[in-house]
């Protein structure tokens, strides 16, 4: 079945460092891809999405590009802030379906 | 605007007791509804989803069940809780197929003692 694999955490960075959280997926067809974020004490919220190959989703300085050839959707940010500390989930929506499959989540700690 | 409610926010229950968690959605009709569990230190696991009243799909075998008695109401239940049922339960809704994103409720933290 479809699946999402993301790098294990926690990831600890200093403020203004460059962030990459890897995400790869297995799916038939062309799923939509998402990054969700869960800030401490809060629920999940959508961070960005991409719906077709080579699309780039972006929001709040975060970016991710839908790479069909490598089945990847890595999350990047050029300069992280303490307020970016959260758990980040990569997810895919099965093509033509209703189910969203989530990765295990990656916890990010950003130190001042 | 659409809103999703979950209650209770926190719950402590003894092993073997029943469970009922409720989720309601406002501001949309005929949504797809989802129950997820987020266990401590682990990812998000899809438990059930529903595409309409009375239509429930189960993703994992377990002692939990779900029901959808009304279009915008989704209930997660158990007759007898296990210790392993502890976790953070999230309800979500999504509209239609294809590219729709999901909107998550605030969650219920369940501790089984």
């Amino acid at each position: 079945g479809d699946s999402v694999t993301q790098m294990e955490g926690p990831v600890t960075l200093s403020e203004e460092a460059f962030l990459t959280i890897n995400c790869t997926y297995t799916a038939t067809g062309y799923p939509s891809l998402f990054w969700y974020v869960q800030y401490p004490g809060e629920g999940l919220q959508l961070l960005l999405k991409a719906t077709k190959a080579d699309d780039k989703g972006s929001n709040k300085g975060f970016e991710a590009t839908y790479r069909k050839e490598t089945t990847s959707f890595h999350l990047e940010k050029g300069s992280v802030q303490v307020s970016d500390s959260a758990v980040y989930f990569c997810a895919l929506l099965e093509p033509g379906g209703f189910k969203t499959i989530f990765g295990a989540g990656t916890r990010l700690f950003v130190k001042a | 605007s659409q809103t999703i409610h979950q209650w209770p926010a926190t719950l402590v229950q003894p092993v073997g007791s029943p469970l009922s968690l409720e989720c309601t959605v406002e501001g949309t009709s005929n949504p797809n509804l989802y129950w997820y569990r987020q266990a401590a230190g682990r990812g998000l696991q899809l438990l059930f989803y529903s595409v309409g009243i009375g239509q429930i799909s189960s993703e994992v075998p377990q002692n939990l069940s779900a029901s959808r008695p009304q279009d915008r109401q989704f209930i997660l239940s158990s007759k007898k809780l296990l210790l392993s049922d502890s976790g953070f339960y999230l309800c979500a809704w999504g509209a239609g197929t294809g590219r729709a994103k999901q909107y998550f409720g605030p969650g219920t933290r369940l501790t089984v003692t």
Side-chain angles (χ1 to χ4, degrees):
Chain A
D2 296 349
S3 65
V4 175
T5 302
Q6 54 183 111
M7 63 188 292
E8 292 186 19
V11 174
T12 303
L13 295 173
S14 298
E15 209 165 21
E16 300 184 1
F18 184 85
L19 168 72
T20 299
I21 300 178
N22 290 337
C23 171
T24 57
Y25 67 90
T26 302
T28 54
Y30 293 86
S32 294
L33 301 175
F34 305 83
W35 276 101
Y36 284 83
V37 59
Q38 186 178 29
Y39 296 105
E42 299 184 16
L44 270 75
Q45 54 186 279
L46 181 68
L47 180 60
L48 54 84
K49 68 176 182 179
T51 59
K52 61 183 186 295
D54 300 324
D55 263 4
K56 177 184 285 187
S58 61
N59 185 25
K60 299 181 180 181
F62 291 90
E63 292 183 339
T65 302
Y66 190 144
R67 301 288 187 199
K68 181 68 176 175
E69 63 278 12
T70 55
T71 61
S72 65
F73 193 53
H74 304 323
L75 182 68
E76 296 181 337
K77 186 174 185 181
S79 177
V80 294
Q81 305 301 312
V82 173
S83 58
D84 293 326
S85 298
V87 181
Y88 293 83
F89 292 90
C90 184
L92 70 82
L93 177 65
E94 296 182 330
F98 300 94
K99 296 192 307 182
T100 298
I101 309 297
F102 285 83
T106 301
R107 185 174 294 278
L108 170 67
F109 292 105
V110 180
K111 303 179 297 184
Chain B
S1 64
Q2 301 90 359
T3 307
I4 180 167
H5 301 281
Q6 280 187 249
W7 64 90
T10 59
L11 190 60
V12 180
Q13 292 282 97
V15 169
S17 63
L19 173 73
S20 181
L21 302 181
E22 189 163 343
C23 170
T24 60
V25 181
E26 297 176 359
T28 186
S29 59
N30 196 30
N32 302 328
L33 296 174
Y34 306 83
W35 277 112
Y36 293 89
R37 177 170 58 206
Q38 186 179 20
R42 301 178 67 178
L44 214 57
Q45 179 185 36
L46 178 63
L47 302 175
F48 302 94
Y49 70 95
S50 170
V51 301
I53 296 174
Q55 301 179 62
I56 308 295
S57 297
S58 175
E59 289 297 299
V60 293
Q62 58 206 319
N63 69 321
L64 299 171
S65 61
S67 62
R68 185 171 178 174
Q70 301 180 45
D71 181 45
R72 289 171 287 179
Q73 183 184 31
F74 204 24
I75 297 172
L76 183 69
S77 304
S78 174
K79 293 182 179 178
K80 288 184 177 182
L81 284 168
L82 306 173
L83 284 174
S84 57
D85 292 324
S86 294
F88 192 56
Y89 289 83
L90 288 162
C91 180
W93 73 271
T97 59
R99 307 334 187 194
K101 70 178 186 180
Q102 294 189 3
Y103 301 85
F104 285 83
T108 295
R109 184 161 302 283
L110 171 66
T111 303
V112 182
T113 60

